[in-house]
Amino acid sequence: MAKRKTEEYTFADAYIGSYTRNLMSWQDMMRLASCKDLDAAEAVLQEFGYGEAKELHEGDVEAFIRREQNKHFNLIYDTLPDRKELALCLFPYDYHNVKVCLKSEFLGITPDDTYLVSTGDIDWMKVVAMVRDRNYMFMPVNMKHAIIEATDLFSRGGDPQEIDIILDKACYKDMLKAAEETGEDFLIGIVKLQIDILNLKTFVRLRQIEKPWSFFQKVFLEGGNISEQFFIASYEEPFAQIADKLAVYGLKEAMAEGGKEIKETGDFNLFEKLCDNQMMEYNKKAKYETFGIVPIAGYWYAKELEIDNLRIILTGILIGSSAEQISERLREPYV
């Protein structure tokens, strides 16, 4: 895919950039978290362009989240000169749908939109048909091979975890390939960081449940900046020692503070939160780009995280959590 000229993004940059002003800051999210109920939350959300939220009147937070995800998807991909340039952001949704289809098939049930998502690069109904009929003609090559491999392994072992492992590897392989085809260092870097963070989270969790490093080798995602050998060599080391070695990758704080919390309490929340905050710290580089695909990608990730934070906040309000309890789970916003 040839890299587009900067001026080809002039309209998209200006149009999507105007929405950046509506992103919520930390203070804004805390004001939302302090609302006494979902009706009060809706009034705050309207200040940030969310409009009327009938779903919240019925207490259906997930329906509201799905609608906002679809709106976000349509805003970006209806405005871009060519949606392929950010298709890498949609691959996880496509692969999620494939997982749902395969697991439904093995359980003998028909997949529906209860678990399937409509914000992928491939229409979810087409995914259902392609997986059902094993029609790979319009399917990415890595996805095709992953389905064949996952189906074969499941038929021999019956372990649904194999489906997730194989499809996740294919997904991030496709994402990195798509990022590299754009020629944008920002997009390549953010995918590599995603891979590193997923590997690190997996590494820490497997260590805590005392899985052998051979299992980590099985689930390790290739393509990141942190090598497989780094993790294997660190498998028996204290978290503090690993943290020092992760400084060059920007993940020292997450490992040091999060690792300490895990060791003392067994709670992974702080560790995962700090990892995700590092993702957003990288994404903030997009603020300093005015033209091209980078500021649009920055807004994509920023809004995606904001919607995830809204799920946490609104669910917290619904179940009666305090603002302080909610804040412990929130990720650092873009603004």
Side-chain angles (χ1 to χ4, degrees):
M1 178 170 57
K3 188 174 180 179
R4 285 183 174 274
K5 295 179 180 179
T6 300
E7 53 266 28
E8 293 183 72
Y9 292 98
T10 301
F11 172 75
D13 284 328
Y15 184 67
I16 294 173
S18 67
Y19 284 85
T20 304
R21 293 192 292 270
N22 281 339
L23 289 171
M24 301 178 75
S25 67
W26 182 264
Q27 290 75 20
D28 297 326
M29 290 192 299
M30 290 310 301
R31 183 159 67 93
L32 180 65
S34 299
C35 290
K36 63 179 181 178
D37 54 36
L38 292 180
D39 287 342
E42 181 193 18
V44 174
L45 287 170
Q46 287 179 349
E47 298 177 27
F48 299 93
Y50 282 96
E52 186 179 3
K54 295 179 180 178
E55 303 91 343
L56 297 185
H57 299 308
E58 301 170 359
D60 194 343
V61 172
E62 281 305 313
F64 169 75
I65 293 298
R66 284 196 299 272
R67 177 166 64 83
E68 290 305 321
Q69 286 173 329
N70 285 331
K71 282 171 59 180
H72 174 47
F73 166 88
N74 290 330
L75 170 68
I76 299 292
Y77 291 97
D78 288 349
T79 309
L80 279 175
D82 185 345
R83 64 181 285 160
K84 287 183 179 180
E85 310 230 3
L86 273 187
L88 63 95
C89 298
L90 305 180
F91 289 161
Y93 299 108
D94 289 332
Y95 276 91
H96 165 83
N97 285 341
V98 172
K99 289 178 187 179
V100 171
C101 290
L102 285 176
K103 291 178 182 180
S104 297
E105 177 184 312
F106 298 144
L107 289 171
I109 60 177
T110 301
D112 58 34
D113 59 2
T114 303
Y115 298 105
L116 294 163
V117 295
S118 59
T119 48
D121 191 44
I122 308 172
D123 184 275
W124 69 267
M125 289 184 285
K126 291 182 180 178
V127 173
V128 171
M130 287 191 290
V131 174
R132 181 193 63 219
D133 301 335
R134 299 297 192 264
N135 180 358
Y136 306 120
M137 185 175 297
F138 301 106
M139 188 177 285
V141 173
N142 288 327
M143 183 181 285
K144 167 189 171 182
H145 290 159
I147 291 173
I148 293 171
E149 184 181 358
T151 303
D152 176 59
L153 282 177
F154 184 84
S155 67
R156 288 188 279 124
D159 184 359
Q161 189 178 41
E162 296 284 359
I163 299 171
D164 293 326
I165 292 171
I166 292 165
L167 288 169
D168 284 345
K169 285 177 178 285
C171 177
Y172 283 93
K173 188 173 183 179
D174 276 342
M175 288 175 66
L176 184 57
K177 180 175 181 288
E180 290 171 342
E181 287 177 351
T182 68
E184 288 288 353
D185 290 340
F186 174 84
L187 292 178
I188 297 169
I190 205 164
V191 174
K192 284 180 172 288
L193 181 57
Q194 283 179 289
I195 293 171
D196 286 338
I197 287 174
L198 284 169
N199 281 331
L200 183 59
K201 288 179 178 179
T202 302
F203 168 82
V204 171
R205 285 192 172 275
L206 291 180
R207 269 189 39 143
Q208 286 303 106
I209 61 173
E210 299 182 346
K211 281 277 190 178
W213 64 261
S214 57
F215 187 80
F216 176 76
Q217 286 182 302
K218 182 178 180 179
V219 300
F220 175 77
L221 299 173
E222 297 181 350
N225 292 309
I226 308 176
S227 70
E228 181 181 7
Q229 188 56 43
F230 174 97
F231 289 108
I232 294 172
S234 305
Y235 219 68
E236 302 296 331
E237 294 178 351
F239 286 143
Q241 188 174 334
I242 299 170
D244 288 337
K245 296 194 296 183
L246 286 170
V248 67
Y249 303 107
L251 292 165
K252 179 178 179 177
E253 180 187 4
M255 189 72 266
E257 295 186 22
K260 181 180 178 182
E261 182 76 9
I262 293 168
K263 185 177 179 180
E264 293 177 354
T265 68
D267 190 347
F268 287 82
N269 181 58
L270 177 61
F271 167 67
E272 296 191 343
K273 176 178 177 176
L274 292 173
C275 284
D276 294 342
N277 285 351
Q278 184 56 34
M279 265 289 296
M280 183 51 65
E281 195 61 34
Y282 179 95
N283 190 49
K284 287 179 182 180
K285 294 178 182 179
K287 290 182 179 182
Y288 305 104
E289 298 287 340
T290 307
F291 304 107
I293 191 67
V294 172
I296 299 171
Y299 177 77
W300 166 272
Y301 286 109
K303 188 67 174 181
E304 196 173 49
L305 180 131
E306 179 173 293
I307 293 172
D308 286 342
N309 275 337
L310 289 185
R311 175 186 280 113
I312 293 169
I313 295 170
L314 297 173
T315 301
I317 294 171
L318 186 64
I319 64 175
S321 299
S322 68
E324 291 73 20
Q325 290 172 320
I326 292 171
S327 70
E328 292 175 359
R329 297 178 55 81
L330 295 179
R331 274 42 178 171
E332 188 69 29
Y334 190 64
V335 296

